[in-house]
């Protein structure tokens, strides 16, 4: 039994595994979140097309620091996607710069400079830039090819919950825009049923696929 089994993330994952039911409009939700030409994170990357890690050459290396939330988040995502998505590398962590993969960094979450009053307990960035993704994160086939840094907890010591840690891994796997079930509206659970459905759907699609509904929302 996981110490996180009472969290919304854990319980909604169990619901997904039991029912495996995609909510209505999941493709439109995913198109807006991952394909959107508007989103602040993903708009510059292959707009209108699927962007994700390609797993055919093996799972994504994850450089883990010793953190139970991150370890449990990775295990839960593997379980829901029903395949080994992550290859855990423990130990030197940030001292090793992977060619591609995820680096979990604790106490370095960096907020949006436009909203400095907001406490930021998690974000995903390139390794060099605290808030942005490297321009070449996504190749022309829609595959993630650069390291991403999953930043958890604020430098001032504000701790992310387990749900929030799972949420950041969702961003690192390709979910851009928030949606109901993924941190929207403000104050709603960081991840809920639609999160798992969107993540499963994203990893059923192939990198570079064109979204049918790639038009901007009205
Ligand atoms: Zn978010």
């Amino acid at each position: 039994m996981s110490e996180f089994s009472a969290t919304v993330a854990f319980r909604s994952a169990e619901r997904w595994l039991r029912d495996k039911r995609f909510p209505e409009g999941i493709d439109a939700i995913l198109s807006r979140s991952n394909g959107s030409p508007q989103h602040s994170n993903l708009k510059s990357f292959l707009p209108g097309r699927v962007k994700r890690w390609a797993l055919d050459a093996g799972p994504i290396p994850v450089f883990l620091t010793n953190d139970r939330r991150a370890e449990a988040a990775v295990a839960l995502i593997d379980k829901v996607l029903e395949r080994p998505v992550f290859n855990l590398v423990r130990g030197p962590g940030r001292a090793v710069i992977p060619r591609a993969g995820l680096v979990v960094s604790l106490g370095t979450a960096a907020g949006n400079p436009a909203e400095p009053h907001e406490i930021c307990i998690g974000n995903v960035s390139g390794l060099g830039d605290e808030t942005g993704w490297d321009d070449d994160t996504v190749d022309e086939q829609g595959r993630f090819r650069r390291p991403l840094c999953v930043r958890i907890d604020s430098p001032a010591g504000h701790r992310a919950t387990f749900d929030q840690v799972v949420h950041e891994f969702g961003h690192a796997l390709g979910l851009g825009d928030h949606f109901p079930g993924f941190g929207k509206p403000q104050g709603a659970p960081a991840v809920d049923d639609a999160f798992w459905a969107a993540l499963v759907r994203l990893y059923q699609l192939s990198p570079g696929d064109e979204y049918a509904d790639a038009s901007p929302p009205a």
Side-chain angles (χ1 to χ4, degrees):
M1 180 106 157
S2 164
E3 67 183 293
F4 302 110
S5 55
T7 59
V8 178
F10 202 96
R11 297 177 83 104
S12 55
E14 285 189 323
R15 278 196 295 277
W16 168 264
L17 287 166
R18 190 187 61 214
D19 301 337
K20 295 190 181 160
R21 193 181 305 129
F22 289 109
E24 203 171 322
I26 190 65
D27 289 309
I29 289 168
L30 187 58
S31 167
R32 278 197 296 276
S33 182
N34 176 263
S36 171
Q38 273 90 36
H39 186 259
S40 54
N41 278 339
L42 299 180
K43 68 181 173 194
S44 27
F45 304 110
L46 224 57
R49 289 178 184 272
V50 174
K51 299 162 273 282
R52 44 157 278 196
W53 295 91
L55 299 175
D56 40 337
I60 308 160
V62 184
F63 292 79
L64 268 187
T65 48
N66 189 20
D67 184 80
R68 294 212 302 275
R69 295 164 302 173
E71 292 215 18
V74 158
L76 191 59
I77 291 168
D78 267 357
K79 192 172 170 189
V80 168
L81 292 185
E82 298 183 279
R83 64 209 284 188
V85 177
F86 302 108
N87 172 31
L88 303 193
V89 185
R90 290 187 178 80
R94 299 185 70 197
V96 178
I97 307 300
R99 264 188 63 245
L102 304 182
V103 178
V104 177
S105 171
L106 298 179
T108 65
N112 174 358
E115 305 192 41
H117 57 283
E118 285 194 354
I119 295 166
C120 180
I121 46 71
N123 74 301
V124 176
S125 74
L127 282 188
D129 178 338
E130 284 190 329
T131 55
W133 293 29
D134 296 328
D135 290 341
D136 55 354
T137 296
V138 179
D139 73 12
E140 57 283 0
Q141 277 87 42
R143 298 174 296 211
F144 286 13
R145 276 300 172 81
R146 298 285 298 150
L148 289 174
C149 190
V150 180
R151 301 177 184 276
I152 295 165
D153 302 337
S154 81
H158 302 95
R159 267 177 75 80
T161 64
F162 177 66
D163 289 354
Q164 288 162 338
V165 171
V166 174
H167 177 104
E168 295 310 325
F169 274 96
H171 280 306
L173 287 169
L175 297 179
D177 264 346
H178 292 164
F179 50 83
F182 186 51
K184 203 176 170 183
Q186 196 113 39
V191 291
D192 210 336
D193 297 85
F195 167 79
W196 298 109
L199 203 57
V200 168
R201 192 81 184 107
L202 176 59
Y203 279 80
Q204 287 175 342
L205 303 174
S206 297
D209 278 0
E210 196 159 351
Y211 282 104
D213 174 26
S215 54

